[in-house]
């Protein structure tokens, strides 16, 4: 979500989340984790993929704010920013636009803005293969020293 300058006391706050499977339920503590720096994101053109707690997270800067979202499009799980020129989603109007389907996801909320999968055909009987789904987002903040942290 939107970044904020923080102090060390705020950095110690953690939350918990529940992870479940068919066999067990466990609670994992989420903590503020250093993901990258503002300088690194700027050097990467305003978009940088990092791995935090085993998840690929896209750190994007838009209008001076830093956001953290899942790097997987919620439609088919394709990368929003990948290793090849084909998978290079763009930040437009505070949204990350999926390079495969042209779906725009709000960087702050993860909600779909505009048409769901405009490049994907509307197939008979199945439509666009899946219903409109938001993109997972993560809280993020920027420390006084320019480190970007993600709550994950």
């Amino acid at each position: 979500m939107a970044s904020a300058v923080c102090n060390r006391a705020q950095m110690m706050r953690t939350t918990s989340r529940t992870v479940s499977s068919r066999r067990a339920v466990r609670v994992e503590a989420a903590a503020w984790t250093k993901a990258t720096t503002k300088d690194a994101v700027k050097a990467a053109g305003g978009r940088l993929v990092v791995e935090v707690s085993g998840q690929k997270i896209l750190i994007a800067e838009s209008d001076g704010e830093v956001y953290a979202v899942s790097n997987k499009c919620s439609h088919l799980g394709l990368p929003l920013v990948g290793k090849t020129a084909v998978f290079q989603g763009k930040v437009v109007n505070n949204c990350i636009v999926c390079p495969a389907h042209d779906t725009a996801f709000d960087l702050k909320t993860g909600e779909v803005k505009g048409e769901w999968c405009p490049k994907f055909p509307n197939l008979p009987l199945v439509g666009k293969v899946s219903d409109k789904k938001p993109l997972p987002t993560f809280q993020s903040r920027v420390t006084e020293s320019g480190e970007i942290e993600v709550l994950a």
Side-chain angles (χ1 to χ4, degrees):
M1 304 270 187
S3 63
V5 175
C6 61
N7 62 38
R8 287 285 164 198
Q10 291 172 317
M11 294 162 74
M12 300 308 293
R13 194 183 107 205
T14 61
T15 60
S16 64
R17 63 180 173 193
T18 302
V19 178
S20 62
S21 69
R22 290 181 183 208
R23 296 187 183 127
V25 174
R26 71 177 190 263
V27 176
E28 294 180 348
W32 287 105
T33 304
K34 179 184 174 189
T36 188
T37 64
K38 276 196 86 166
D39 290 341
V41 174
K42 186 176 182 176
R47 301 165 296 128
L48 183 65
V49 178
V50 297
E51 189 165 327
V52 177
S53 300
Q55 299 178 74
K56 299 258 183 183
I57 296 176
L58 171 62
I59 306 294
E61 187 172 8
S62 180
D63 292 337
E65 297 291 327
V66 174
Y67 302 94
V69 298
S70 172
N71 192 46
K72 285 184 173 183
C73 176
S74 60
H75 181 228
L76 295 176
L78 298 170
L80 294 170
V81 174
K83 296 178 182 178
T84 67
V86 173
F87 290 108
Q88 294 299 311
K90 304 290 183 216
V91 175
V92 178
N93 297 326
N94 289 328
C95 293
I96 182 72
V97 179
C98 175
H101 309 110
D102 268 355
T103 299
F105 297 96
D106 186 286
L107 286 167
K108 186 174 184 177
T109 65
E111 293 298 317
V112 174
K113 297 292 183 183
E115 185 181 351
W116 174 245
C117 302
K119 278 171 100 175
F120 202 79
N122 197 359
L123 303 171
L125 303 175
V126 295
K128 300 232 181 191
V129 179
S130 71
D131 293 329
K132 188 185 286 192
K133 293 181 249 177
L135 188 66
T137 60
F138 301 87
Q139 289 181 333
S140 64
R141 64 185 181 189
V142 179
T143 66
E144 292 175 5
S145 63
E147 293 180 346
I148 297 173
E149 297 178 326
V150 174
L151 188 63

